[in-house]
Amino acid sequence: QVQLVESGGGLVQAGGSLRLSCAASGYTFSSYAMGWFRQAPGKEREFVSAISRSGGSTYYSDSVKGRFTISRDNAKNTVYLQMNNLRPEDTAVYYCARGSAATTLRVGGTTVDYWGQGTQVTVSS
């Protein structure tokens, strides 16, 4: 069965960095786009970033552009989210997601067919 397992979350001070990982199993990883979403307390889940099947195309929300970098290693069945210059407003549960195309993942969560369990990121001021 399809499994997406996130890791790398934690507590960091504003201005710091974290690297999230999502290990995928149960399907042909390189056949699907991957993305990251996040949900802060009391808010709806929102799109953060997406990457195409080959890794050649990437997309970011305006709020993280220039600070976050998404990448994937198809040999390791893993997608990453490098988060730099973190801000308190980045505090949220971050979810790994699978979709058919990165261009549709950026539209929102309705295009996701599998979700990870989430990892908490907390940025202190």
Side-chain angles (χ1 to χ4, degrees):
Q1 70 278 23
V2 174
Q3 285 193 321
L4 303 175
V5 180
E6 301 99 332
S7 61
L11 173 64
V12 63
Q13 288 188 330
S17 298
L18 283 174
R19 188 195 197 201
L20 304 183
S21 299
C22 172
S25 61
Y27 69 99
T28 303
F29 183 69
S30 58
S31 295
Y32 289 85
M34 298 296 295
W36 290 93
F37 290 75
R38 68 186 182 187
Q39 187 167 19
K43 295 188 176 182
E44 292 187 354
R45 193 175 300 189
E46 65 173 1
F47 168 78
V48 174
S49 183
I51 188 166
S52 62
R53 284 168 279 186
S54 68
S57 297
T58 57
Y59 303 91
Y60 300 92
S61 67
D62 288 343
S63 61
V64 307
K65 197 173 297 181
R67 300 187 298 122
F68 291 11
T69 302
I70 191 171
S71 62
R72 66 189 295 162
D73 185 335
N74 285 347
K76 295 183 178 180
N77 291 353
T78 303
V79 61
Y80 305 96
L81 186 68
Q82 177 67 44
M83 305 185 295
N84 297 330
N85 192 19
L86 283 160
R87 304 167 180 169
E89 54 264 39
D90 294 318
T91 295
V93 177
Y94 283 71
Y95 297 90
C96 177
R98 191 188 85 164
S100 59
T103 50
T104 54
L105 282 174
R106 69 191 293 198
V107 172
T110 58
T111 62
V112 173
D113 61 359
Y114 283 95
W115 294 96
Q117 83 286 354
T119 186
Q120 176 70 46
V121 172
T122 303
V123 185
S124 63
S125 57

